[in-house]
Amino acid sequence: MPTEDYDDIEDDDIEELDELDDDVEEVDETEEDGGDAIVEKGRRQLRRGRLSEFSDKLSGGAARPGEKDVRKSPFVMIMAGGIIALTLVGLVFFIMILSKAEENAFAEAEAKFKEQSYPEAKGRLLDFLAAYPEGEYTERARILYHETKVLEITTGTSFTSESVSEALKELNDFISVCRDLEGFKDEHDDVRRYADRIVRVGALTAAGVRSRKIKPEQQPLDDSKTALAVMEKYAGPDGLPRSVKDEIRALQRKAQAAIDKAKVLTDALAEINGHLKADDTLAALESRQALIDQYDSLSDDADVAKILTTIMEQEKTLTKQEDLNTDAVTEDFPSSARVSASLTLRTQATVEQVSQGKLVFAVGLGSCYGIDSETGEPIWKRAVGRNPPFAPIAVDAAEPSLLIFHTDTNELLLLSQEQGDLLWRQHIPSRPSGPPLVFQQQVYLTTENGELWKISVSSGKAISRVVFNQPVVGSPAVTRDQKHMVIAGDQSLVYTLSISPLECVAVSYVEHRLGSVEAPILTTGKLMLMADNDSAEKTRLRVLEVNSGSGQVAVLASDVVDGQVRDSLLIRGRDLYVPSTPQRVTAFRVNDEPDADHLAKVGANQLEDAATAPIFLRAGPGGQLWMASEALRKFKVRTNTLELQSDSVAEGLHLQPIQMSDENFFVTTNEPYSSSIFYTKVEPQKMEDKWRTVIGTNVVSVGPAGNGESLVAVGDFGRVFRIPLQKIKSGGFIIDGLSTYRVPDGLEDAIGGLTLKDGRLAAYCGGEEPALWTFTTNGQLEQRWTLPGAPGVPPVSLAAGVVVAVPGRLHLTANSAGRVQDYRAAQSQGENQQASWKSLVALNDTQVLAINADNELIRVEYRTSPTHHLFEVSRTRMEQPVELAPAAAGDLLAVVTSDGKLMALSAATLEVLDEFDLGGVAMRSPFISADRIFVEVARRDLMVFARGASLQDPVTIPLNGTFLTGPPVAVKEGGFVACLSDGRVILLDADGNDSGKNVVLGQEAQKGPIRVGESLVVIGVDGSLYSVEDVLD
Amino acid sequence: MAVFIAWKMYLISCTLLNFRSRLERGFLIVAALFLCASSSCLSPARAQDELPLLEDMDWPSVETLLKADPFDWIVLKDQTVIVCQPLYPHPDTLQKMADELVELEQARGSNAAERADIAERKKRLKLLEVNLPDDNFLDYQLPVSQVDRVISFEDMMLREADALIDIDEISQAYELLMEVERMAPGWKQASPRFAKLLIKEAEINFESGNAFAAMALLDELAVRDKDSPQLAAMFGETIRSSVQLAVDVEDYDRARYFLNRLAKHFPQHPVIADWKKRLQSMVTVVFEQAEQYAQAGRHDDAAAAAAAANRIWPVNARRTSKDAQYVLWPMSGIQRAAYNKYVSRQQILRVAVRDFSRTDIVSPIPLEANERDRELTTVSLFAPSSADELTYFQSGFFDEWDPQDLGREVLFTLKTTRPYWQTHPILNANQIAEALGDQLDSSQSTFNPRLASFVSEFSVRSPTQLQIQFHRVPLSLEALFRFPVKGIPEDQQPAPKDAERQTLSTRFSVVEQDENHRKYRRIIPEPDGLNDRQYHVSDVEEIRFNDRHSEIQAFLRGNVDVLPHLLPWEIDIFKESGRAFVQQYAIPLNHLIVFNPSSPAVKSAQLRRALSVSVDRKSLLKNVILRDPEMKYGRVTSAPWHSGSYANSPLVEPPTYDHYLAFILRLAALEQLRIPDKQKFVADAKKKILEANEEWDEVVFRRDHAKELAAAVKHIQLPKLRMVCDPDELATTAAEKIVTRWQALGFDIELIPADQEGEKLPADGWDLMYRRVRMMEPLLDLWSVLLSDDQLDVNQLSAYPDWMRQELINLDYASSFADAQRKLFLIHRHMTAQAFLIPLWELDDFIAFQNNISGFEGRPLSVYHGVERWLVKP
């Protein structure tokens, strides 16, 4: 039946009823006034209504006597009235009987409703409404009818997309039809309940029903969401309870996930499986992560979880364990016997230092040192290569020993602490990715190519290794029960290894981006901590729990610190300190109890105007914390702050972790102006330094002393040494300097050096106080010369002094004749337009050739008349770009061009005499020694040319990535001695051919060879002086 | 005589009266003659007398000379004597007149008047004007030519003084000479007498052994007349013998003093040269002896010898700057170097103290002297090193102690080497483990209940590694392990199980002791062969002084090197003087009064509060303790810890002084004591009334029988309180003032000095104690202050209410610093509210070092903080 049949109520009918009511009132008034006067009757008649008219019709109205109709006689009238009355009574009874039937009919329908016999109830209610469209129970019946229709669907046990939509439609019908009915207000709860049912059913249906092979579908979810709106509308003034909302949202999310999953999962799973098939678990993880990133709801999807498990399992199988059983080598390097004298300046603050025979250990420029902890005096040193991956680690082997990695030979060394003797060395193909873990007399060392080595401390035997499918971060963390080790992969994964045997037992997915974890995982009681630099400004600290049975790692909690964590975290007791960029420390209180907050932040402190630099932390009792970064600073942990103490010590960039011995700190630093490395003992409570020893001296200028029996070397930290040849040959440490030159405070530019024409040495610096210091040939400081600006290129020496190129001009300094007027280059506009220089070369005692940025060769001469000045003699533009300083000797100027040519020019006219295609680009300026020109081509070859107008038929010697550390020295026996940067000193014949004779220093070289008297001296990278004339033997 | 008178009158008439007329002259002559006649008539005997001869004259006695009016004797040519009033000029009258006459003879005068005057003056200089005794009206003139000489009164006094000096009547002679000096200041005739007198007196004093007095006289004489003939000899002799005496008793300071005294007047005196030579030779001998000692490794004897040599012949400028002003004491560079070497090798630090550590005192707790002794003779595993809000500790035995497993486990790595200056021995893990075992063994006297409540187990992993696991994580690990290591020395092992444990972690031990000195020496001396500047204090010598004045005096004289505590009003004086290094202790000293938890007398909170609020802290601090209205070096406090401590709650105010409230609280305490008896009284009465079947109304009864009730309990009074007081001077003064105030309030208090000799007071032998406390770690030290006991036994907390007891126990369970602070704040509040102790004030404490001391801590935490690294420069 159409709905409209029950809804239309005619307005006319209502009006009629109203009129009837009016008439009844008027009849009543007439009866009350019976027997009144005619006048009054007439008046009344005037205002009679239709009922009066009807009465008149019955009685005939006013009539004359005799003219009355019999039918209108009172008797007849009374009788007729009686009959009518009886009829009316009968009619009433009839109506009453009819009314009872409606009630019964409704009751029967309602009973069916209550019995939840919805189809039957629906029929009866429909009949009822048809029978009693305007009955007393019509409204109620109409409501029940709609409810029945809704319930008929929603109380079902199985649903389809259509049934959900139908239920929603019925509900909407119910609301639209019944909302104006009086009884609908009482149905609000039911409406909400019906909507709730539809919401849930819709969500469930949308999520799909696997048992009935119903696939996830969007429509039911949309219906569910629509129904949710209805539900919220009829939820009453307090709205829906939060728990209900969450529950529904979860259902809908699940449904949405199911729908999403249905949409993309298939493809994604196919892609992932493809990666897995190719053993590319990381790609599989990336695909999975991409899927989750796109559909967040899939993160807790069972299928996605399952595929993750599959990936983890596969990753686990890809993490190979290999038994090695490779014995260590116990023979020392052949070069270790070579004697050297090392420049290790030591300065002491007090006289109290008396040796107790205890050593501390540090790595400087290429060498590891054993240093007396009380006096700062070096006791032994051993070359270990530059840029070690970790600082020396003391271990207890058969004797107190030291673990160190030799970067030149890629070997892990165990040295005796006492004298630095080699106990064993084990080759490790790849560079360690962090310091090793020494645990239960085994060394666990991770490498940059994703290996974890297990090496016996006592024998150096490589026992086994685990090869990961990706690089791993730092040293492993041992779980509290000491059954497992946990190590973070470079990306996404955390590996759990059993300690014995060393093998991967579990791979866990702890989401992190490639390279975002830089600090090793830290054990914090029962838990572990991983710092993940998940953004440029913040780092996630993730509290991990390791399942003691399976080894699986789960993230328990997370916190955030500002900056990026690049250095190792530190825990002391319950105090956790997290270093982050730029020079910031955040302190936490750690609690590993199950119900506690695992990380409670105490406070953080960041240095003002701090630059990003390595941070090394050391904690002490009472909440004391020391941070070594650009200086050693002290913090104190207060109730809710981390206070920075005002004092700082050991200024300079800290290169290695803070060592501690006898309550003193030992730190390794260098200064911005210097390449040398300093090792400093600090009293941490008072923040006072006790001594400082240079453990790697960068020599900026070196030459023979005046007497020809000593070598004078100028260090880049303000000290000059004079070392007798005898000392160089006998070896040892030179801990005292000869003289001092004051390095300006706050200098950040590197200090350079040069040798003057007369053999004196000089050092220079830029910065805010540019200066040049000259030293006598005996090494005494002669004078400090103030420069007009920072030297842009290395200065050169003329007979009269040193020519320094500063922007826009050439300046002659260090001359005894007094002030010399500068040569000022052409200047276009303002200071910023001043000419800049590429290089300087001295052509002879009075002339210097300057090459400017415009590739012009400007010959400038020192003249004394009319005043002392620098005079531009000529200006020549080179066609080929010249970036490196030429070499000049006599009348020849050797120029290497950027397009790979060596050109021989006349020093007098700058005329090109000859040129030679080098076949590569020269990386450094050529050297001219005796009658040969030496050119290094791309660190590949050393080409030796005959010095003359013709540049043909050079001799080529392979360089293998090395370079010359100085001009080869011609020897009287004929030939040359050259030193290569890898520490090989080679003998060349007169033509420049490699004679095959060589001497190996055992470490890289920084300068040399230098002729001192009859000896040849080479300076190692750590500032050790080697006598190498035995190469001639 | 009459003739003389007449003649005299004539002279008067001629000279003074200057009568010019004949009539006048005639009158005078007549009068004179009349006078002569009358005088002859009136005194026929005298008129007949002749002037006495000098030899017949009686020289006036000392008494006469001192008491009578002065007079002179004019001795005429015939040796007769005219006694007259003092002549003018005076003394040496004739000589002075003659001198003037000679002078006038040479004067010519510029005009007639002057020449007349000169003539007149010359004429008068030939006459001696005389006044007879008792005749002030008439002057006589006597031709000088008639006079042989004049013996003035002063001459007579000098003559008499000479005589007196000869017979050693020094005092009278001195009196006479002083009178002469008064009468004729600077009279040259008197000077020799003075010299004679002083020398004589010096001789007498010297002979009687009073060399100082003799020297004082000789000094006086030297000032008066350095060229006095006998002076140099006498002075020399006096000094020679005095120096000899001083040298005989090895009092070289005194000897040098004497020589300096002589040199002040006679720098080239042979006695000085002689003694310098002798002393120099003595020094040489002593240094030779010192060298022998040093060669034999007897550095203490060498240092003592060098010190002795220094006493004989000072080598350091500091000591000679004050007393060597006149005698130069050149010391050869070799000797100076030798002295420095020997003294530097065995440096002795002298510390001024008021008492030594003793065990025969009544104090229930160790006093400061005991703490000093403990600090020198024992070394705890951890010792405080610095302080701010917190106190930081360091260990001389552990190289590292890294808490692991969130603090549940600590691996102690022991030191295997020690700095050469460190004096305590290196211990191994087994020795420490043994000591730890004793601390955890409840059957041992060393049992430490608190430590036992923390430690779960410990193990020795190697001789240098000790691992300890904890039941619960201690918040201040270092403070918990502040105990010395006791055990059986290795050379005495194996030993019986019950063998007495000895302290193994020692650093100094007592090597000498007498009534006023106690010397501690390093257990392990510094090695030989070091640079002089590398050696540190070897011996610590405590020197006892009876009073503050002596201490200060000794410090100023350089006889002590350290004053461990400066009184508040001395601080600025020392600072400004620049004579010493004044260092402030890192933690102020808190003065407080603690209650004996075992004493029932102080259980009443009202009583404790009454005592607390009746102390006028501010006034006492300002006026008695600091004597500084600005209270620069002290402040009133509310806690037993210093006001900068993290434990100090900023919300807790010091108790306010309220005398009235104190009185009320005292009454309340008293009434509280009487309550049981009152209740008994009422109960008895009720029983009787009920037995008599009468109606009982307690309110009415109490109202009607108030007087009887009061009388019944009147005998109950607050108990007498026995307050032990720290023997410190300030503490004693303050305690006396406080007790006086309490007594005024009606408390009966007995003040017992803590250093009083006797048996240690039993637990019930005292009620409260005035203490000075420097609390290092409130978290752990509060118990021992509250309980006045270091045993840290939980059972002793039973005297406190349950809640307070729980709060104190909870302190040990603090899980974080913030948690500990919160708990201490709470305790602080409750402690103040309930007056579990009476905080008074805290004083900034300062220590003073001589300027030759170095190496001390900038902010020491105790008297001997880091004493091993102190240097006593020669």
Side-chain angles (χ1 to χ4, degrees), chain B residues 318 350 548 551-552 554-558 560-566 570-584 846-854 856:
Chain B
R318 187 179 63 85
R350 297 158 303 167
R548 187 64 180 169
E551 284 181 313
I552 299 285
F555 188 82
L556 295 178
R557 287 177 175 174
V560 294
D561 300 310
V562 178
L563 286 177
H565 303 283
L566 293 181
E570 295 169 352
I571 296 166
D572 285 338
I573 297 171
F574 269 81
K575 280 183 177 176
E576 289 162 10
S577 73
R579 293 177 60 104
F581 295 117
V582 178
Q583 303 299 129
Q584 184 176 0
F846 291 81
I847 182 170
F849 298 94
Q850 292 284 9
N851 285 334
N852 63 320
I853 309 295
S854 63
F856 45 78

Side-chain angles (χ1 to χ4, degrees), chain A residues 471-492:
Chain A
V472 288
V473 181
S475 52
V478 179
T479 55
R480 186 174 184 240
D481 59 9
Q482 301 193 346
K483 289 180 182 172
H484 296 117
M485 286 181 181
V486 178
I487 188 162
D490 204 21
Q491 178 185 1
S492 304

Side-chain angles (χ1 to χ4, degrees), chain B residues 625-823:
Chain B
I625 303 295
L626 300 176
R627 304 184 190 175
D628 172 19
E630 295 179 0
M631 298 201 293
K632 188 176 174 185
Y633 294 118
R635 59 212 64 85
V636 173
T637 56
S638 62
W641 44 73
H642 65 99
S643 55
S645 168
Y646 74 95
N648 204 53
S649 171
L651 300 177
V652 179
E653 294 288 332
T656 311
Y657 170 60
D658 190 332
H659 207 62
Y660 179 74
L661 177 61
F663 187 77
I664 299 298
L665 286 168
R666 179 191 164 278
L667 283 182
L670 180 59
E671 285 306 308
Q672 200 174 26
L673 273 185
R674 290 172 172 174
I675 283 173
D677 280 43
K678 282 187 175 178
Q679 286 176 337
K680 185 173 182 302
F681 182 87
V682 173
D684 291 346
K686 180 181 179 182
K687 189 178 175 185
K688 283 180 187 171
I689 289 173
L690 291 178
E691 282 173 359
N693 289 328
E694 292 176 13
E695 191 177 346
W696 168 255
D697 186 334
E698 185 169 330
V699 174
V700 172
F701 176 81
R702 282 179 178 271
R703 186 190 62 207
D704 293 346
H705 298 80
K707 287 185 179 175
E708 292 93 321
L709 197 56
V713 296
K714 194 175 180 182
H715 67 283
I716 299 174
Q717 293 296 328
L718 287 172
K720 180 178 183 178
L721 300 177
R722 295 151 298 176
M723 182 163 95
V724 185
C725 180
D726 188 295
D728 173 67
E729 199 173 317
L730 289 179
T732 305
T733 309
E736 286 169 355
K737 299 278 183 190
I738 291 170
V739 166
T740 303
R741 181 63 57 93
W742 284 346
Q743 285 169 340
L745 273 170
F747 290 105
D748 188 5
I749 309 258
E750 178 192 358
L751 197 59
I752 306 170
D755 59 348
Q756 181 177 299
E757 280 192 14
E759 290 289 319
K760 180 180 173 182
L761 289 172
D764 59 352
W766 58 284
D767 304 304
L768 59 168
M769 179 171 184
Y770 187 116
R771 289 187 63 179
R772 293 182 303 149
V773 173
R774 185 174 280 132
M775 197 180 284
M776 301 290 177
E777 177 47 87
L779 192 63
L780 297 177
D781 295 346
L782 178 59
W783 276 33
S784 57
V785 171
L786 279 176
L787 301 176
S788 297
D789 187 279
D790 287 335
Q791 291 300 312
L792 308 172
D793 187 355
V794 177
N795 296 328
Q796 292 190 347
L797 293 175
S798 57
Y800 291 97
D802 288 345
W803 54 267
M804 183 66 182
R805 196 161 56 237
Q806 195 57 49
E807 285 175 9
L808 289 170
I809 292 171
N810 279 348
L811 267 184
D812 281 355
Y813 288 83
S815 60
S816 67
F817 178 70
D819 186 27
Q821 191 177 37
R822 200 165 44 246
K823 286 173 173 162

